[in-house]
Amino acid sequence: MARTSAIKLLLIGFNDDNAEDIISTFRRAGKVAHSKLINDGKELQEQLSDSHWDLAFFDAVHSKLSIAQCGQILRHANVDLPFIYLSDDENIPLPDTSVSLVLSNQNRARLLFFAQRELEALASRRELDATKAALLEEQQRNALLLDSHQDAVCYITDGMIIYANALFCQQVGHDDLDGFPIVDLICNKDQDRFKNALKKQPGNSDGHTLEISFLSSDEQELKSSVTCNNASYDGEACVQLTLHEAGSGAATGHLDATTGLANRKHFAQLLQDFVDAQRNSNSSLIVLQLDNFDKFRRDLNLHNTETLIQALSERLQALIPAQYYGRIADDLFAVIAHHVPSQRALETSQEALKAIESEIIEVKKQSLQCHFSAAIMPINHLTTPHAATLLDQCFETVQSIAADGGNAAEIYHRDRQQLQRSDEISTLIEEAFADQRLQILFQPIINLSDAEGDYYEASLDIRDWQEGEVTAGEMLRVVEKEPNNNKLDRWIVVETTKVLAKKRAAGEDTKLTINLSGNVFHDSEFCSWLSVAMKAAGLPGSALILQFSEESIASSLKPALDCCRQLESLGIGLAVRNFGRSQDGNKFLEHIKPALIKPGVRKTDSLSADEIREIIQGGRQLNSRVLIPNVSSAASLAVLWQLGPDFIQGSYVQDPSTEMSYEFAAFG
C-alpha cells in the first residue's frame, strides 16, 4: 500500500470500538488512515457528494442500514469506491452488486492485504480515467483546430493524403481527399519538382514554399503556392502542406521578404503555439539585435543594408541550431531553440557572437565587421504564457545590453520583487501578498532521540521564484529593518497553525517548528494574540516551537528574553536557527534556554564529523536538542547515527513540500 497521503475510509454501521480496530490495523502497518463513521443513508449521501473517499467498509453484524440501501446510494452517487463487506461468514455470495468482496470480521491480515489490492486497483482506474479524459480532450481540441483552421492544409505520408481539411478540398475542387495520392492532384509539369521537395522535406528542419499547379476535378489548372513543413498526425510523422493562392498576400505574408524567415506577426504566432504546447520542455527563446544598426543604414543604402541582413541571417541559422527563426524588426532576429536549456542557449549564443564578430562580411565591395546583443528567455513551467510579453521582455534586455556597449549575451531575469532600498520593504511584502506568491512549505524532521510525536518544520516560500529575485529567507531577514512590521509573521502563524490543527484533529501527534522573524520580539501583543489563536484552533502549546535566527536574538536580546518567558508560560518552545554564526552565541543563549538548535548550514556546505561533534556539544551545554539539516545521502546519515544528534532533516528524507504528508513509519 505505497501511498504518500492519508487513506480516507468510510466505516458504515461500525461502533466506536470496531471502527478503532479497523483504523489501528492500518496504522500498525505504517499507514495513515482518516475515517468517518456512517450510521444512516442521508449521512452516506452527503459524504459521497461532498468528499472523495478511497475505501468503504460495511459491518454486516452491527449496521442498522441495509446493504441494499447502501448499494442503491452508491449507484445513485455514481462513484468508484471499493466496498468491502465484513461478515462472520465470508463464504456467502456478494450481497449486492456494489460490493467488491466479502471478508471475515476476524482476519485482520487478510483485510489489510485485500484493502491494499483494492486501493491499488482504484488508483489504476483513476489514473486510467484521467488519461482517457485528457486524451479525449486533446483529440477534440486537435480535431477542432484542424477543422476550423483558417488555412487550407493537408497531411501526407508516403505520398498519400491522410487528412485534408474542408478548405483544402474546396480549393483544389474535390469533396474528399483522405486516402488520395497527392501527385494525382498535381499537373504533370510540376510532379517531379514536387516529389523532389517531398523527399527532401523530412531532413529539413524549416519549411519551404514553392509554386505548384494543381489539377481540379474538372481538369482546370490552379496555380498555387504551397508551404511544406514537417508535422505529426495521430502520432505518425508526416508532411504538412499549406495551400495559398499564387501571388496572394497569404502566400508570402508570413515570411520576411529579405531573409525568408518568419516575419514578426508569424513568428509571434509560432512562439505562442510553441509556448502553449511546449511550456514545460525546458527550451529557450533567443532575441538578437544587430548593434549599431543605424550607422550601417547611414553608411549603406537601403538595398545594401538588406543585403547585409540577409548575409547575417544565414550565418545565425548556421551558428544557432533551432526549430524556428524569425526577423521581428529591421535589426532584430528571434530564435526558438527546442529542448535547449537557457544556460546552453547562452553558451551557444556567446559562441555565435564571437564567430560573427571575427568574420568580415563583404557588401558591395565594403568590408564590414558586425556584432550582436542577445537576450535568452527560458521557456519552462515558470514562463508567462503570452508570446508578446516574452518578446517585449527580451527586447528590454537586448536594449539594456546594447546600451552597455553590446556584443554580449545574457539570460533574462524578471525585475520583480527586488530589494534595492530599505524603504521598499513594506512595498515588497505588500506586492508578494497582492500577487499571492507567498506559500508555506513543510519539511519532515526525523527523530533520532526519545522525543515523542512526528515533527515538521514550516518555512516561508515564494511561488515561481526565479534567479535574481529576493528569496523568502531574505524577506524574513530584511523585514527586521522595520521592527513594527508584524503582518508577515502573523500570516505565517495563521497559515501554519491552520494546517497543523487539521493534522492533529485527525488524531496524529504532530508537532511543528515555525520559522519567524525577530520582529516578533518587538510585537508586544504577539503572545496574547497567539494564545487566543491557539485556543481557537484547539492546539496545545506543546504542539508548537517558534524558531528565530541566532542573529535576531543577539540583536534584540532583552525583548527576546521577555518574549521567551511569555512563550514558556504558554508551553511553547523556542528554537534557534543559524546556531554558531554569532560570536559568543552560547553565552546569551544560556539566558534563552532554547528547546532546539539548528546550525547555519547551507546546502552546499559539508560538515566534518568534528564540526558536528562541536555543534552537538554546544547543544548539550545549553540543554537543547540538536537538529542537523541538509542530510542528502545514506552515507552522511550513517555518520550522524554514530555522532548522536537528536533530529535530522534533508533531501535524503524528503524535500520541503506544500503538505504534511510524510509517512514517518516508512523511515528505516
Side-chain angles (χ1 to χ4, degrees):
M1 220 180 300
R3 297 172 61 87
T4 57
S5 58
I7 302 167
K8 299 184 67 177
L9 306 176
L10 272 181
L11 303 180
I12 304 171
F14 285 76
N15 58 38
D16 291 341
D17 290 340
N18 289 342
E20 183 58 35
D21 193 25
I22 292 286
I23 297 168
S24 297
T25 299
F26 283 88
R27 289 181 178 167
R28 282 194 297 271
K31 311 302 173 187
V32 179
H34 297 166
S35 64
K36 177 69 177 178
L37 296 182
I38 301 294
N39 292 307
D40 59 62
K42 182 179 179 182
E43 191 175 10
L44 178 58
Q45 287 177 338
E46 292 174 352
Q47 290 299 324
L48 291 175
S49 61
D50 293 343
S51 303
H52 293 285
W53 299 92
D54 299 315
L55 202 57
F57 289 94
F58 182 89
D59 190 338
V61 178
H62 300 98
S63 178
K64 296 178 182 178
L65 188 65
S66 72
I67 186 62
Q69 288 176 286
C70 286
Q72 187 176 3
I73 292 170
L74 282 168
R75 286 187 289 274
H76 181 73
N78 194 28
V79 295
D80 183 5
L81 181 65
F83 194 22
I84 298 178
Y85 185 89
L86 297 183
S87 171
D88 290 338
D89 182 7
E90 65 178 28
N91 294 318
I92 64 172
L94 296 180
D96 189 88
T97 56
S98 63
V99 174
S100 305
L101 70 154
V102 177
L103 290 177
S104 169
N105 236 323
Q106 311 302 321
N107 196 332
R108 289 291 179 256
R110 278 170 54 82
L111 182 146
L112 194 64
F113 170 79
F114 281 106
Q116 173 178 341
R117 189 186 69 178
E118 292 297 326
L119 286 168
E120 290 174 350
L122 176 64
S124 297
R125 291 197 299 273
R126 287 177 175 174
E127 184 178 357
L128 179 60
D129 288 343
T131 303
K132 286 180 177 178
L135 176 61
L136 179 60
E137 183 181 344
E138 186 70 20
Q139 288 173 337
Q140 291 173 341
R141 185 163 53 247
N142 290 343
L144 181 62
L145 287 171
L146 286 172
D147 292 339
S148 61
H149 205 293
Q150 295 181 355
D151 293 327
V153 295
C154 77
Y155 294 90
I156 299 169
T157 298
D158 295 331
M160 303 295 290
I161 298 175
I162 57 176
Y163 171 84
N165 69 358
L167 191 56
F168 188 95
C169 295
Q170 179 183 339
Q171 290 198 16
V172 297
H174 288 264
D175 295 330
D176 184 16
L177 290 172
D178 290 1
F180 203 87
I182 185 65
V183 292
D184 288 356
L185 295 175
I186 297 171
C187 293
N188 290 333
K189 63 179 182 178
D190 290 332
Q191 285 195 4
D192 289 341
R193 187 162 57 91
F194 180 74
K195 289 177 182 178
N196 189 44
L198 283 185
K199 289 178 182 178
K200 291 182 178 179
Q201 181 54 44
N204 186 4
S205 61
D206 298 318
H208 64 278
T209 302
L210 62 158
E211 298 290 328
I212 292 291
S213 293
F214 284 84
L215 198 63
S216 68
S217 56
D218 58 359
E219 302 298 320
Q220 294 295 316
E221 185 175 319
L222 306 169
K223 193 170 185 180
S224 302
S225 178
V226 176
T227 302
C228 304
N229 292 96
N230 293 328
S232 175
Y233 186 86
D234 277 348
E236 183 178 0
C238 61
V239 175
Q240 174 185 303
L241 299 186
T242 306
L243 188 63
H244 312 282
E245 291 182 12
S248 71
T252 56
H254 64 297
L255 298 179
D256 174 64
T258 298
T259 63
L261 307 181
N263 60 20
R264 182 194 60 78
K265 183 178 180 181
H266 185 55
F267 185 85
Q269 186 59 54
L270 290 173
L271 177 59
Q272 186 64 62
D273 293 343
F274 184 84
V275 172
D276 289 343
Q278 303 288 339
R279 194 173 173 211
N280 295 321
S281 63
N282 199 14
S283 302
S284 297
L285 166 67
I286 308 171
V287 173
L288 304 104
Q289 177 177 276
L290 177 60
D291 295 329
N292 304 316
F293 179 71
D294 289 341
K295 181 179 184 302
F296 286 121
R297 192 155 48 183
R298 286 194 304 269
D299 294 345
L300 304 169
N301 59 34
L302 183 61
H303 175 75
N304 289 340
T305 302
E306 289 298 289
T307 302
L308 172 64
I309 290 295
Q310 182 180 15
L312 289 172
S313 75
E314 293 173 356
R315 292 301 298 132
L316 287 174
Q317 291 178 75
L319 293 167
I320 304 178
Q323 184 165 359
Y324 299 113
Y325 301 88
R327 185 186 182 190
I328 57 176
D330 286 349
D331 58 342
L332 283 174
F333 295 93
V335 172
I336 300 174
H338 193 200
H339 290 310
V340 178
S342 56
Q343 188 59 43
R344 183 143 56 92
L346 174 65
E347 295 168 359
T348 300
S349 300
Q350 290 170 334
E351 292 172 0
L353 264 55
K354 288 180 182 177
I356 290 175
E357 182 191 16
S358 64
E359 293 182 8
I360 303 297
I361 300 176
E362 297 288 336
V363 178
K364 295 297 181 180
K365 299 183 179 180
Q366 295 189 56
S367 298
L368 303 174
Q369 194 169 13
C370 305
H371 52 79
F372 282 85
S373 299
I376 294 90
M377 169 68 72
I379 299 179
N380 52 40
H381 67 286
L382 302 177
T383 305
T384 176
H386 305 296
T389 302
L390 296 179
L391 290 171
D392 287 342
Q393 290 170 338
C394 282
F395 178 67
E396 291 172 4
T397 302
V398 162
Q399 291 286 88
S400 175
I401 297 170
D404 291 337
N407 198 23
E410 293 180 9
I411 297 175
Y412 166 84
H413 300 298
R414 66 180 175 191
D415 186 20
R416 219 169 67 153
Q417 294 187 337
Q418 301 297 307
L419 290 175
Q420 296 171 353
R421 305 187 307 274
S422 60
D423 61 358
E424 289 182 349
I425 297 169
S426 296
T427 302
L428 170 76
I429 294 173
E430 290 301 326
E431 285 180 356
F433 276 114
D435 294 342
Q436 296 184 338
R437 296 192 64 204
L438 297 182
Q439 65 179 355
I440 302 296
L441 296 184
F442 301 92
Q443 186 170 26
I445 298 173
I446 296 299
N447 179 11
L448 303 183
S449 66
D450 57 355
E452 296 181 355
D454 296 336
Y455 288 79
Y456 286 89
E457 180 178 356
S459 302
L460 182 69
D461 184 57
I462 297 179
R463 289 187 179 94
D464 297 343
W465 182 88
Q466 290 190 9
E467 187 177 347
E469 288 189 314
V470 61
T471 65
E474 289 171 335
M475 188 179 289
L476 274 181
R477 287 195 293 273
V478 297
V479 77
E480 294 181 355
K481 295 179 181 178
E482 295 180 354
N484 295 323
N485 190 331
N486 59 18
K487 180 177 181 179
L488 185 59
D489 290 297
R490 293 199 178 198
W491 180 85
I492 293 172
V493 171
V494 169
E495 294 300 311
T496 52
T497 53
K498 193 188 303 181
V499 179
L500 178 62
K502 289 182 181 178
K503 194 79 172 169
R504 291 182 65 89
E508 300 179 37
D509 185 14
T510 304
K511 300 182 180 181
L512 187 61
T513 299
I514 306 173
N515 282 287
L516 299 173
S517 79
N519 288 7
V520 168
F521 304 142
H522 303 281
D523 186 349
S524 59
E525 298 180 356
F526 177 82
C527 290
S528 57
W529 169 83
L530 179 59
S531 176
V532 173
M534 289 174 59
K535 288 178 182 177
L539 291 174
S542 60
L544 288 183
I545 299 174
L546 302 188
Q547 184 162 266
F548 305 92
S549 71
E550 189 177 75
E551 300 93 332
S552 299
I553 297 172
S555 62
S556 305
L557 186 55
K558 188 174 180 181
L561 283 167
D562 182 55
C563 180
C564 185
R565 293 188 194 99
Q566 294 183 63
L567 292 175
E568 187 176 4
S569 68
L570 297 174
I572 299 172
L574 184 140
V576 177
R577 65 178 182 268
N578 296 343
F579 174 74
R581 288 192 181 176
S582 296
Q583 291 184 347
D584 301 324
N586 280 22
K587 293 182 180 179
F588 68 78
L589 288 180
E590 288 175 358
H591 303 288
I592 296 292
K593 299 178 181 177
L596 179 73
I597 61 168
K598 178 181 177 180
V601 183
R602 298 177 178 85
K603 287 186 177 181
T604 54
D605 292 343
S606 178
L607 292 176
S608 66
D610 289 339
E611 288 173 322
I612 296 172
R613 286 193 191 94
E614 186 177 347
I615 292 166
I616 295 174
Q617 184 180 0
R620 300 293 178 257
Q621 291 173 355
L622 295 169
N623 198 26
S624 305
R625 295 186 185 272
V626 178
L627 165 63
I628 301 297
N630 299 336
V631 178
S632 58
S633 66
S636 57
L637 176 60
V639 174
L640 290 170
W641 274 112
Q642 300 173 14
L643 298 175
D646 300 282
F647 300 99
I648 61 165
Q649 69 177 175
S651 58
Y652 181 72
V653 179
Q654 188 184 78
D655 286 322
S657 67
T658 55
E659 296 180 354
M660 289 194 281
S661 58
Y662 183 73
E663 292 192 15
F664 288 89
F667 184 82

